[in-house]
């Protein structure tokens, strides 16, 4: 069996086994603890013991590669591109497309949610037990892009700061004419090969990692919460699907003429990673590798656009925030008007820049959006119960958006290897399984 199929199998089995555990382990409704001894064993030793340990080690290993990969790959990309006069234009195109797709995502979310009206008949008594967390202000978010200490930026995993430092470093290499700088560039290229090899090695355990993560998640997911909030849940899901498949497919076709079906086929296993980890950051090594190797995007474009996208481009998150705003406004019977919704589009687009690619942050920045239009922050407590599952799905959309924009920019800059894009046999993950 190819590695892609094994990863898919890991996902499907993980979901099935997780739901099965969820159903068979009877829990006390008050304490939430298992009532039988074997239930307690399954829960404590197997699910929260062994499977959780393997899942956590898997996520840690993915995260381990993020900073070295982004640093090394982006130094290589910007060093190769430094003298290239297109660099500014390319960066502008990437950022503009990121902002545009996010604004489209949230507008679509508000439109669909206004039609479906998910917030009708909501029991406001459910909105308890949530204390708002302070969202970062716009000024701080901006200042925070610039590092004062590269080592600290790397140690904190502050992606925007690492990106700025790596870009400067790479440009400086390309602008220094000494042979030492050329040696350094060659060294970074060699290092890049080694770091990518580490990503490939990690892929071997991916099916097991994905399985363990999903069993743990689905065994503890409150299915009842989904039923209670079915209208909200399915509205977010519908918009995620419309945007993730429809809008991205259309944009890819219109802006680059490439076949969306090939794109989705190659991105499928990356989406499974996004879904299982609920983190754009943790998925980054896999996204970058797939975009370069399978979609044929040149390293000069991918090494910049993919880490940047994992940090600032969160269309799926913006969709959740759009639907959530409409939902909360309806639940509290507050009309924020057209002006209010336009403000939501603006704030949620900016909030998505400030949302780090880690699980659950979208809810924190939702506070910023609600604040802007004067909606009660306690409303977040209404949707928190289904957020974990939605987080997984929206993360898959977030990373697909990054890959789509990267592909479009590469095509427009003549930095896309079309034969590689169209070659459906040469999938990275499948290649490794044959190694
Ligand atoms: N988990 C999301 C991501 O990493 C962010 C969020 O919506 O909370 O892309």
């Amino acid at each position: 069996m190819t590695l892609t199929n094994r990863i898919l199998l890991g996902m499907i089995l993980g979901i099935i086994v997780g739901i099965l555990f969820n159903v068979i382990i009877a829990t006390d409704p008050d304490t939430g603890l298992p009532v039988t001894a074997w239930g307690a064993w399954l829960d404590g030793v197997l699910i929260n013991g062994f499977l959780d340990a393997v899942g956590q080690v898997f996520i840690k290993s993915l995260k381990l590669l993020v900073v070295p990969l982004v640093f090394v790959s982006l130094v290589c990309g910007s060093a190769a591109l430094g003298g290239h006069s297109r660099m500014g234009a390319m960066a502008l195109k990437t950022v503009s497309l990121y902002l545009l797709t996010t604004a489209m995502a949230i507008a679509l979310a508000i439109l669909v949610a206004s039609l479906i009206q998910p917030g009708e008949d909501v029991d406001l008594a459910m909105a308890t037990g949530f204390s708002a967390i302070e969202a970062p202000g716009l000024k701080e978010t901006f200042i925070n892009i610039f590092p004062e200490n590269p080592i600290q930026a790397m140690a904190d995993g502050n992606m925007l700061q690492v990106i700025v430092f790596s870009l400067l470093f790479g440009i400086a290499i390309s602008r220094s004419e000494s042979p030492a700088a050329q040696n350094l560039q060659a060294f970074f290229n060699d290092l890049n090969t080694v770091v990518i090899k580490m990503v490939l090695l990690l892929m071997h355990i991916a099916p097991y990692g994905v399985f363990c993560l999903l069993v743990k998640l689905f065994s503890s997911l409150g299915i009842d919460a989904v039923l209670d909030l079915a209208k909200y849940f399915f509205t977010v899901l519908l918009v995620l699907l419309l945007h993730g498949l429809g809008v991205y497919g259309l944009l890819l076709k219109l802006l680059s003429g490439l076949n969306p079906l090939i794109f989705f086929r190659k991105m499928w296993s990356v989406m499974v990673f996004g879904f299982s980890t609920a983190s754009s950051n943790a998925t980054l090594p896999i996204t970058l590798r797939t975009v370069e190797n399978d979609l044929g995007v040149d390293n000069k474009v991918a090494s910049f656009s993919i880490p940047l996208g994992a940090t600032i481009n969160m269309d799926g998150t913006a969709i959740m925030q759009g639907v959530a705003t409409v939902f909360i406004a309806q639940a509290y019977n507050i009309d924020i008007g057209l002006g209010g919704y336009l403000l939501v589009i603006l704030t949620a687009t900016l909030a998505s820049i400030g949302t780090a690619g880690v699980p659950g942050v979208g809810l924190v920045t939702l506070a910023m959006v609600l604040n802007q239009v004067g909606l009660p922050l306690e409303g977040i407590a209404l949707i928190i119960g289904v957020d974990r599952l939605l987080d997984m799905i929206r993360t898959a959309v977030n990373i697909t958006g990054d890959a789509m924009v990267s592909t479009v920019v590469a095509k427009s800059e003549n930095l896309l290897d079309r034969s590689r894009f169209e070659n459906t046999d040469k999938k990275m993950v499948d290649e490794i399984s044959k190694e």
Side-chain angles (χ1 to χ4, degrees), residues 103 106-107 109-111 113-114 117 321-331 334-349 369 373 375:
I106 180 151
I110 292 177
L111 185 80
S114 304
Q117 310 246 337
Q321 294 181 340
V323 177
T325 313
V326 176
F327 175 82
I328 292 169
Q330 276 173 8
I334 301 172
D335 184 12
I336 61 169
L338 187 64
Y341 283 117
L342 289 177
L343 195 60
V344 170
I345 297 184
L346 184 71
T347 336
T349 307
V369 179
V373 287
L375 286 172

PDB file of all heavy atoms in Angstrom, residues 103 106-107 109-111 113-114 117 321-331 334-349 369 373 375:
ATOM      1  N   ALA A 103     -10.791  37.821   2.769  1.00  0.00           N
ATOM      2  CA  ALA A 103     -11.969  38.687   2.740  1.00  0.00           C
ATOM      3  C   ALA A 103     -13.122  37.984   2.015  1.00  0.00           C
ATOM      4  O   ALA A 103     -14.285  38.060   2.436  1.00  0.00           O
ATOM      5  CB  ALA A 103     -11.626  40.005   2.063  1.00  0.00           C
ATOM      6  N   ILE A 106     -14.703  35.320   4.382  1.00  0.00           N
ATOM      7  CA  ILE A 106     -15.567  35.816   5.446  1.00  0.00           C
ATOM      8  C   ILE A 106     -16.855  36.420   4.876  1.00  0.00           C
ATOM      9  O   ILE A 106     -17.932  36.278   5.456  1.00  0.00           O
ATOM     10  CB  ILE A 106     -14.811  36.783   6.380  1.00  0.00           C
ATOM     11  CG1 ILE A 106     -15.725  37.281   7.457  1.00  0.00           C
ATOM     12  CG2 ILE A 106     -14.205  37.938   5.703  1.00  0.00           C
ATOM     13  CD1 ILE A 106     -15.007  37.605   8.679  1.00  0.00           C
ATOM     14  N   ALA A 107     -16.755  37.045   3.699  1.00  0.00           N
ATOM     15  CA  ALA A 107     -17.966  37.590   3.075  1.00  0.00           C
ATOM     16  C   ALA A 107     -18.927  36.441   2.752  1.00  0.00           C
ATOM     17  O   ALA A 107     -20.141  36.523   3.005  1.00  0.00           O
ATOM     18  CB  ALA A 107     -17.607  38.368   1.817  1.00  0.00           C
ATOM     19  N   ALA A 109     -19.044  33.600   4.239  1.00  0.00           N
ATOM     20  CA  ALA A 109     -19.550  33.072   5.512  1.00  0.00           C
ATOM     21  C   ALA A 109     -20.724  33.916   6.015  1.00  0.00           C
ATOM     22  O   ALA A 109     -21.761  33.373   6.426  1.00  0.00           O
ATOM     23  CB  ALA A 109     -18.432  33.050   6.552  1.00  0.00           C
ATOM     24  N   ILE A 110     -20.577  35.238   5.943  1.00  0.00           N
ATOM     25  CA  ILE A 110     -21.647  36.107   6.442  1.00  0.00           C
ATOM     26  C   ILE A 110     -22.901  35.951   5.576  1.00  0.00           C
ATOM     27  O   ILE A 110     -24.024  35.863   6.082  1.00  0.00           O
ATOM     28  CB  ILE A 110     -21.171  37.578   6.459  1.00  0.00           C
ATOM     29  CG1 ILE A 110     -20.074  37.733   7.521  1.00  0.00           C
ATOM     30  CG2 ILE A 110     -22.320  38.527   6.744  1.00  0.00           C
ATOM     31  CD1 ILE A 110     -19.470  39.111   7.600  1.00  0.00           C
ATOM     32  N   LEU A 111     -22.680  35.855   4.267  1.00  0.00           N
ATOM     33  CA  LEU A 111     -23.819  35.713   3.342  1.00  0.00           C
ATOM     34  C   LEU A 111     -24.593  34.419   3.626  1.00  0.00           C
ATOM     35  O   LEU A 111     -25.818  34.429   3.839  1.00  0.00           O
ATOM     36  CB  LEU A 111     -23.288  35.710   1.905  1.00  0.00           C
ATOM     37  CG  LEU A 111     -24.356  35.682   0.835  1.00  0.00           C
ATOM     38  CD1 LEU A 111     -24.899  37.101   0.662  1.00  0.00           C
ATOM     39  CD2 LEU A 111     -23.788  35.191  -0.502  1.00  0.00           C
ATOM     40  N   ALA A 113     -24.497  32.481   6.264  1.00  0.00           N
ATOM     41  CA  ALA A 113     -25.063  32.442   7.614  1.00  0.00           C
ATOM     42  C   ALA A 113     -26.308  33.323   7.709  1.00  0.00           C
ATOM     43  O   ALA A 113     -27.267  32.982   8.406  1.00  0.00           O
ATOM     44  CB  ALA A 113     -24.021  32.876   8.635  1.00  0.00           C
ATOM     45  N   SER A 114     -26.327  34.441   6.982  1.00  0.00           N
ATOM     46  CA  SER A 114     -27.511  35.301   7.019  1.00  0.00           C
ATOM     47  C   SER A 114     -28.701  34.599   6.373  1.00  0.00           C
ATOM     48  O   SER A 114     -29.847  34.811   6.767  1.00  0.00           O
ATOM     49  CB  SER A 114     -27.256  36.612   6.281  1.00  0.00           C
ATOM     50  OG  SER A 114     -26.145  37.247   6.810  1.00  0.00           O
ATOM     51  N   GLN A 117     -29.523  31.497   8.953  1.00  0.00           N
ATOM     52  CA  GLN A 117     -29.913  31.972  10.285  1.00  0.00           C
ATOM     53  C   GLN A 117     -29.655  30.943  11.387  1.00  0.00           C
ATOM     54  O   GLN A 117     -30.592  30.477  12.043  1.00  0.00           O
ATOM     55  CB  GLN A 117     -31.403  32.310  10.300  1.00  0.00           C
ATOM     56  CG  GLN A 117     -31.841  33.204   9.173  1.00  0.00           C
ATOM     57  CD  GLN A 117     -32.309  34.563   9.663  1.00  0.00           C
ATOM     58  OE1 GLN A 117     -32.694  34.705  10.794  1.00  0.00           O
ATOM     59  NE2 GLN A 117     -32.230  35.546   8.824  1.00  0.00           N
ATOM     60  N   GLN A 321     -15.258  32.621  12.036  1.00  0.00           N
ATOM     61  CA  GLN A 321     -15.524  33.896  12.720  1.00  0.00           C
ATOM     62  C   GLN A 321     -16.710  34.626  12.087  1.00  0.00           C
ATOM     63  O   GLN A 321     -17.500  35.257  12.789  1.00  0.00           O
ATOM     64  CB  GLN A 321     -14.269  34.773  12.704  1.00  0.00           C
ATOM     65  CG  GLN A 321     -13.156  34.139  13.536  1.00  0.00           C
ATOM     66  CD  GLN A 321     -11.892  34.954  13.587  1.00  0.00           C
ATOM     67  OE1 GLN A 321     -11.659  35.810  12.747  1.00  0.00           O
ATOM     68  NE2 GLN A 321     -11.046  34.673  14.558  1.00  0.00           N
ATOM     69  N   GLY A 322     -16.839  34.523  10.769  1.00  0.00           N
ATOM     70  CA  GLY A 322     -17.977  35.162  10.097  1.00  0.00           C
ATOM     71  C   GLY A 322     -19.295  34.543  10.538  1.00  0.00           C
ATOM     72  O   GLY A 322     -20.238  35.233  10.934  1.00  0.00           O
ATOM     73  N   VAL A 323     -19.343  33.203  10.486  1.00  0.00           N
ATOM     74  CA  VAL A 323     -20.583  32.523  10.884  1.00  0.00           C
ATOM     75  C   VAL A 323     -20.853  32.763  12.372  1.00  0.00           C
ATOM     76  O   VAL A 323     -21.990  33.030  12.776  1.00  0.00           O
ATOM     77  CB  VAL A 323     -20.510  30.996  10.583  1.00  0.00           C
ATOM     78  CG1 VAL A 323     -21.765  30.290  11.054  1.00  0.00           C
ATOM     79  CG2 VAL A 323     -20.288  30.744   9.104  1.00  0.00           C
ATOM     80  N   ALA A 324     -19.792  32.713  13.178  1.00  0.00           N
ATOM     81  CA  ALA A 324     -19.971  32.898  14.622  1.00  0.00           C
ATOM     82  C   ALA A 324     -20.528  34.286  14.935  1.00  0.00           C
ATOM     83  O   ALA A 324     -21.378  34.438  15.817  1.00  0.00           O
ATOM     84  CB  ALA A 324     -18.639  32.687  15.345  1.00  0.00           C
ATOM     85  N   THR A 325     -20.074  35.290  14.200  1.00  0.00           N
ATOM     86  CA  THR A 325     -20.566  36.650  14.454  1.00  0.00           C
ATOM     87  C   THR A 325     -22.059  36.738  14.169  1.00  0.00           C
ATOM     88  O   THR A 325     -22.838  37.270  14.978  1.00  0.00           O
ATOM     89  CB  THR A 325     -19.806  37.668  13.569  1.00  0.00           C
ATOM     90  OG1 THR A 325     -18.428  37.397  13.666  1.00  0.00           O
ATOM     91  CG2 THR A 325     -20.086  39.081  13.998  1.00  0.00           C
ATOM     92  N   VAL A 326     -22.456  36.201  13.007  1.00  0.00           N
ATOM     93  CA  VAL A 326     -23.883  36.222  12.666  1.00  0.00           C
ATOM     94  C   VAL A 326     -24.671  35.438  13.716  1.00  0.00           C
ATOM     95  O   VAL A 326     -25.731  35.868  14.196  1.00  0.00           O
ATOM     96  CB  VAL A 326     -24.116  35.607  11.262  1.00  0.00           C
ATOM     97  CG1 VAL A 326     -25.591  35.543  10.941  1.00  0.00           C
ATOM     98  CG2 VAL A 326     -23.366  36.403  10.212  1.00  0.00           C
ATOM     99  N   PHE A 327     -24.131  34.281  14.090  1.00  0.00           N
ATOM    100  CA  PHE A 327     -24.792  33.406  15.062  1.00  0.00           C
ATOM    101  C   PHE A 327     -24.990  34.117  16.407  1.00  0.00           C
ATOM    102  O   PHE A 327     -26.087  34.135  16.975  1.00  0.00           O
ATOM    103  CB  PHE A 327     -23.926  32.149  15.240  1.00  0.00           C
ATOM    104  CG  PHE A 327     -24.394  31.203  16.293  1.00  0.00           C
ATOM    105  CD1 PHE A 327     -25.405  30.294  16.037  1.00  0.00           C
ATOM    106  CD2 PHE A 327     -23.812  31.208  17.567  1.00  0.00           C
ATOM    107  CE1 PHE A 327     -25.836  29.412  17.015  1.00  0.00           C
ATOM    108  CE2 PHE A 327     -24.227  30.330  18.543  1.00  0.00           C
ATOM    109  CZ  PHE A 327     -25.241  29.429  18.270  1.00  0.00           C
ATOM    110  N   ILE A 328     -23.938  34.751  16.892  1.00  0.00           N
ATOM    111  CA  ILE A 328     -24.009  35.405  18.198  1.00  0.00           C
ATOM    112  C   ILE A 328     -24.934  36.629  18.140  1.00  0.00           C
ATOM    113  O   ILE A 328     -25.747  36.868  19.036  1.00  0.00           O
ATOM    114  CB  ILE A 328     -22.585  35.766  18.700  1.00  0.00           C
ATOM    115  CG1 ILE A 328     -21.835  34.470  19.018  1.00  0.00           C
ATOM    116  CG2 ILE A 328     -22.630  36.671  19.933  1.00  0.00           C
ATOM    117  CD1 ILE A 328     -20.360  34.631  19.279  1.00  0.00           C
ATOM    118  N   ALA A 329     -24.851  37.369  17.033  1.00  0.00           N
ATOM    119  CA  ALA A 329     -25.736  38.531  16.879  1.00  0.00           C
ATOM    120  C   ALA A 329     -27.196  38.091  16.924  1.00  0.00           C
ATOM    121  O   ALA A 329     -28.039  38.709  17.583  1.00  0.00           O
ATOM    122  CB  ALA A 329     -25.425  39.250  15.575  1.00  0.00           C
ATOM    123  N   GLN A 330     -27.484  36.976  16.243  1.00  0.00           N
ATOM    124  CA  GLN A 330     -28.874  36.479  16.237  1.00  0.00           C
ATOM    125  C   GLN A 330     -29.292  35.955  17.596  1.00  0.00           C
ATOM    126  O   GLN A 330     -30.388  36.218  18.077  1.00  0.00           O
ATOM    127  CB  GLN A 330     -29.015  35.351  15.222  1.00  0.00           C
ATOM    128  CG  GLN A 330     -29.254  35.858  13.829  1.00  0.00           C
ATOM    129  CD  GLN A 330     -29.210  34.721  12.828  1.00  0.00           C
ATOM    130  OE1 GLN A 330     -29.138  33.544  13.198  1.00  0.00           O
ATOM    131  NE2 GLN A 330     -29.246  35.082  11.558  1.00  0.00           N
ATOM    132  N   ALA A 331     -28.379  35.196  18.215  1.00  0.00           N
ATOM    133  CA  ALA A 331     -28.719  34.599  19.505  1.00  0.00           C
ATOM    134  C   ALA A 331     -29.051  35.688  20.529  1.00  0.00           C
ATOM    135  O   ALA A 331     -29.944  35.530  21.353  1.00  0.00           O
ATOM    136  CB  ALA A 331     -27.569  33.736  20.002  1.00  0.00           C
ATOM    137  N   ILE A 334     -29.229  41.049  18.454  1.00  0.00           N
ATOM    138  CA  ILE A 334     -28.621  42.371  18.250  1.00  0.00           C
ATOM    139  C   ILE A 334     -28.412  42.540  16.741  1.00  0.00           C
ATOM    140  O   ILE A 334     -27.859  41.650  16.091  1.00  0.00           O
ATOM    141  CB  ILE A 334     -27.249  42.472  18.957  1.00  0.00           C
ATOM    142  CG1 ILE A 334     -27.419  42.227  20.452  1.00  0.00           C
ATOM    143  CG2 ILE A 334     -26.594  43.829  18.697  1.00  0.00           C
ATOM    144  CD1 ILE A 334     -26.122  42.113  21.227  1.00  0.00           C
ATOM    145  N   ASP A 335     -28.871  43.668  16.208  1.00  0.00           N
ATOM    146  CA  ASP A 335     -28.677  43.889  14.779  1.00  0.00           C
ATOM    147  C   ASP A 335     -27.465  44.789  14.580  1.00  0.00           C
ATOM    148  O   ASP A 335     -27.482  45.952  14.971  1.00  0.00           O
ATOM    149  CB  ASP A 335     -29.941  44.549  14.204  1.00  0.00           C
ATOM    150  CG  ASP A 335     -29.832  44.705  12.691  1.00  0.00           C
ATOM    151  OD1 ASP A 335     -28.897  44.104  12.113  1.00  0.00           O
ATOM    152  OD2 ASP A 335     -30.671  45.419  12.101  1.00  0.00           O
ATOM    153  N   ILE A 336     -26.409  44.259  13.959  1.00  0.00           N
ATOM    154  CA  ILE A 336     -25.212  45.104  13.806  1.00  0.00           C
ATOM    155  C   ILE A 336     -25.222  45.832  12.457  1.00  0.00           C
ATOM    156  O   ILE A 336     -24.330  46.631  12.177  1.00  0.00           O
ATOM    157  CB  ILE A 336     -23.893  44.320  14.012  1.00  0.00           C
ATOM    158  CG1 ILE A 336     -23.739  43.204  12.984  1.00  0.00           C
ATOM    159  CG2 ILE A 336     -23.787  43.772  15.409  1.00  0.00           C
ATOM    160  CD1 ILE A 336     -22.337  42.598  12.997  1.00  0.00           C
ATOM    161  N   GLY A 337     -26.199  45.543  11.623  1.00  0.00           N
ATOM    162  CA  GLY A 337     -26.376  46.288  10.371  1.00  0.00           C
ATOM    163  C   GLY A 337     -25.292  45.999   9.340  1.00  0.00           C
ATOM    164  O   GLY A 337     -24.302  45.314   9.630  1.00  0.00           O
ATOM    165  N   LEU A 338     -25.487  46.532   8.138  1.00  0.00           N
ATOM    166  CA  LEU A 338     -24.541  46.287   7.049  1.00  0.00           C
ATOM    167  C   LEU A 338     -23.153  46.838   7.387  1.00  0.00           C
ATOM    168  O   LEU A 338     -22.136  46.177   7.153  1.00  0.00           O
ATOM    169  CB  LEU A 338     -25.076  46.945   5.760  1.00  0.00           C
ATOM    170  CG  LEU A 338     -24.274  46.619   4.506  1.00  0.00           C
ATOM    171  CD1 LEU A 338     -24.328  45.136   4.187  1.00  0.00           C
ATOM    172  CD2 LEU A 338     -24.778  47.434   3.324  1.00  0.00           C
ATOM    173  N   GLY A 339     -23.148  48.056   7.970  1.00  0.00           N
ATOM    174  CA  GLY A 339     -21.872  48.666   8.360  1.00  0.00           C
ATOM    175  C   GLY A 339     -21.127  47.770   9.324  1.00  0.00           C
ATOM    176  O   GLY A 339     -19.907  47.573   9.212  1.00  0.00           O
ATOM    177  N   GLY A 340     -21.859  47.174  10.249  1.00  0.00           N
ATOM    178  CA  GLY A 340     -21.267  46.264  11.231  1.00  0.00           C
ATOM    179  C   GLY A 340     -20.621  45.072  10.537  1.00  0.00           C
ATOM    180  O   GLY A 340     -19.493  44.676  10.845  1.00  0.00           O
ATOM    181  N   TYR A 341     -21.332  44.523   9.536  1.00  0.00           N
ATOM    182  CA  TYR A 341     -20.791  43.349   8.849  1.00  0.00           C
ATOM    183  C   TYR A 341     -19.563  43.696   8.007  1.00  0.00           C
ATOM    184  O   TYR A 341     -18.621  42.902   7.893  1.00  0.00           O
ATOM    185  CB  TYR A 341     -21.861  42.653   8.015  1.00  0.00           C
ATOM    186  CG  TYR A 341     -22.773  41.841   8.914  1.00  0.00           C
ATOM    187  CD1 TYR A 341     -24.126  42.123   9.028  1.00  0.00           C
ATOM    188  CD2 TYR A 341     -22.248  40.819   9.697  1.00  0.00           C
ATOM    189  CE1 TYR A 341     -24.939  41.406   9.892  1.00  0.00           C
ATOM    190  CE2 TYR A 341     -23.044  40.096  10.567  1.00  0.00           C
ATOM    191  CZ  TYR A 341     -24.391  40.385  10.661  1.00  0.00           C
ATOM    192  OH  TYR A 341     -25.171  39.671  11.523  1.00  0.00           O
ATOM    193  N   LEU A 342     -19.570  44.911   7.431  1.00  0.00           N
ATOM    194  CA  LEU A 342     -18.378  45.326   6.669  1.00  0.00           C
ATOM    195  C   LEU A 342     -17.178  45.447   7.620  1.00  0.00           C
ATOM    196  O   LEU A 342     -16.063  45.042   7.286  1.00  0.00           O
ATOM    197  CB  LEU A 342     -18.631  46.659   5.959  1.00  0.00           C
ATOM    198  CG  LEU A 342     -19.603  46.571   4.785  1.00  0.00           C
ATOM    199  CD1 LEU A 342     -19.853  47.949   4.178  1.00  0.00           C
ATOM    200  CD2 LEU A 342     -19.073  45.624   3.709  1.00  0.00           C
ATOM    201  N   LEU A 343     -17.468  45.941   8.806  1.00  0.00           N
ATOM    202  CA  LEU A 343     -16.409  46.059   9.811  1.00  0.00           C
ATOM    203  C   LEU A 343     -15.908  44.664  10.221  1.00  0.00           C
ATOM    204  O   LEU A 343     -14.721  44.451  10.448  1.00  0.00           O
ATOM    205  CB  LEU A 343     -16.959  46.811  11.031  1.00  0.00           C
ATOM    206  CG  LEU A 343     -15.944  47.334  12.034  1.00  0.00           C
ATOM    207  CD1 LEU A 343     -14.984  48.304  11.366  1.00  0.00           C
ATOM    208  CD2 LEU A 343     -16.651  48.027  13.201  1.00  0.00           C
ATOM    209  N   VAL A 344     -16.860  43.721  10.264  1.00  0.00           N
ATOM    210  CA  VAL A 344     -16.475  42.337  10.601  1.00  0.00           C
ATOM    211  C   VAL A 344     -15.518  41.794   9.532  1.00  0.00           C
ATOM    212  O   VAL A 344     -14.508  41.158   9.853  1.00  0.00           O
ATOM    213  CB  VAL A 344     -17.725  41.433  10.717  1.00  0.00           C
ATOM    214  CG1 VAL A 344     -17.313  39.973  10.812  1.00  0.00           C
ATOM    215  CG2 VAL A 344     -18.551  41.823  11.928  1.00  0.00           C
ATOM    216  N   ILE A 345     -15.821  42.077   8.255  1.00  0.00           N
ATOM    217  CA  ILE A 345     -14.947  41.580   7.174  1.00  0.00           C
ATOM    218  C   ILE A 345     -13.531  42.137   7.359  1.00  0.00           C
ATOM    219  O   ILE A 345     -12.546  41.401   7.300  1.00  0.00           O
ATOM    220  CB  ILE A 345     -15.499  41.980   5.781  1.00  0.00           C
ATOM    221  CG1 ILE A 345     -16.856  41.312   5.563  1.00  0.00           C
ATOM    222  CG2 ILE A 345     -14.517  41.587   4.674  1.00  0.00           C
ATOM    223  CD1 ILE A 345     -17.472  41.541   4.220  1.00  0.00           C
ATOM    224  N   LEU A 346     -13.473  43.429   7.644  1.00  0.00           N
ATOM    225  CA  LEU A 346     -12.162  44.062   7.814  1.00  0.00           C
ATOM    226  C   LEU A 346     -11.432  43.501   9.037  1.00  0.00           C
ATOM    227  O   LEU A 346     -10.269  43.075   8.960  1.00  0.00           O
ATOM    228  CB  LEU A 346     -12.356  45.573   7.964  1.00  0.00           C
ATOM    229  CG  LEU A 346     -11.071  46.367   8.041  1.00  0.00           C
ATOM    230  CD1 LEU A 346     -10.388  46.391   6.683  1.00  0.00           C
ATOM    231  CD2 LEU A 346     -11.346  47.789   8.510  1.00  0.00           C
ATOM    232  N   THR A 347     -12.143  43.469  10.162  1.00  0.00           N
ATOM    233  CA  THR A 347     -11.462  43.034  11.395  1.00  0.00           C
ATOM    234  C   THR A 347     -11.083  41.558  11.319  1.00  0.00           C
ATOM    235  O   THR A 347      -9.998  41.178  11.761  1.00  0.00           O
ATOM    236  CB  THR A 347     -12.355  43.219  12.646  1.00  0.00           C
ATOM    237  OG1 THR A 347     -13.314  44.206  12.387  1.00  0.00           O
ATOM    238  CG2 THR A 347     -11.547  43.562  13.859  1.00  0.00           C
ATOM    239  N   ALA A 348     -11.980  40.735  10.777  1.00  0.00           N
ATOM    240  CA  ALA A 348     -11.658  39.304  10.752  1.00  0.00           C
ATOM    241  C   ALA A 348     -10.498  39.034   9.806  1.00  0.00           C
ATOM    242  O   ALA A 348      -9.705  38.125  10.038  1.00  0.00           O
ATOM    243  CB  ALA A 348     -12.874  38.492  10.342  1.00  0.00           C
ATOM    244  N   THR A 349     -10.374  39.825   8.736  1.00  0.00           N
ATOM    245  CA  THR A 349      -9.233  39.651   7.835  1.00  0.00           C
ATOM    246  C   THR A 349      -7.946  39.986   8.595  1.00  0.00           C
ATOM    247  O   THR A 349      -6.957  39.255   8.515  1.00  0.00           O
ATOM    248  CB  THR A 349      -9.376  40.556   6.590  1.00  0.00           C
ATOM    249  OG1 THR A 349     -10.639  40.301   6.005  1.00  0.00           O
ATOM    250  CG2 THR A 349      -8.287  40.286   5.589  1.00  0.00           C
ATOM    251  N   VAL A 369     -12.875  40.419  17.049  1.00  0.00           N
ATOM    252  CA  VAL A 369     -13.906  40.756  16.061  1.00  0.00           C
ATOM    253  C   VAL A 369     -15.201  41.176  16.775  1.00  0.00           C
ATOM    254  O   VAL A 369     -15.813  42.197  16.439  1.00  0.00           O
ATOM    255  CB  VAL A 369     -14.181  39.537  15.138  1.00  0.00           C
ATOM    256  CG1 VAL A 369     -15.265  39.855  14.129  1.00  0.00           C
ATOM    257  CG2 VAL A 369     -12.918  39.111  14.439  1.00  0.00           C
ATOM    258  N   VAL A 373     -17.453  45.130  16.972  1.00  0.00           N
ATOM    259  CA  VAL A 373     -18.833  45.450  16.604  1.00  0.00           C
ATOM    260  C   VAL A 373     -19.758  45.438  17.816  1.00  0.00           C
ATOM    261  O   VAL A 373     -20.983  45.467  17.671  1.00  0.00           O
ATOM    262  CB  VAL A 373     -19.374  44.497  15.503  1.00  0.00           C
ATOM    263  CG1 VAL A 373     -18.736  44.826  14.177  1.00  0.00           C
ATOM    264  CG2 VAL A 373     -19.142  43.050  15.861  1.00  0.00           C
ATOM    265  N   LEU A 375     -20.442  43.115  20.140  1.00  0.00           N
ATOM    266  CA  LEU A 375     -21.229  41.920  20.493  1.00  0.00           C
ATOM    267  C   LEU A 375     -20.665  41.320  21.782  1.00  0.00           C
ATOM    268  O   LEU A 375     -19.464  41.430  22.051  1.00  0.00           O
ATOM    269  CB  LEU A 375     -21.170  40.895  19.364  1.00  0.00           C
ATOM    270  CG  LEU A 375     -21.997  41.235  18.126  1.00  0.00           C
ATOM    271  CD1 LEU A 375     -21.718  40.244  16.999  1.00  0.00           C
ATOM    272  CD2 LEU A 375     -23.491  41.234  18.446  1.00  0.00           C
TER     273      LEU A 375
END
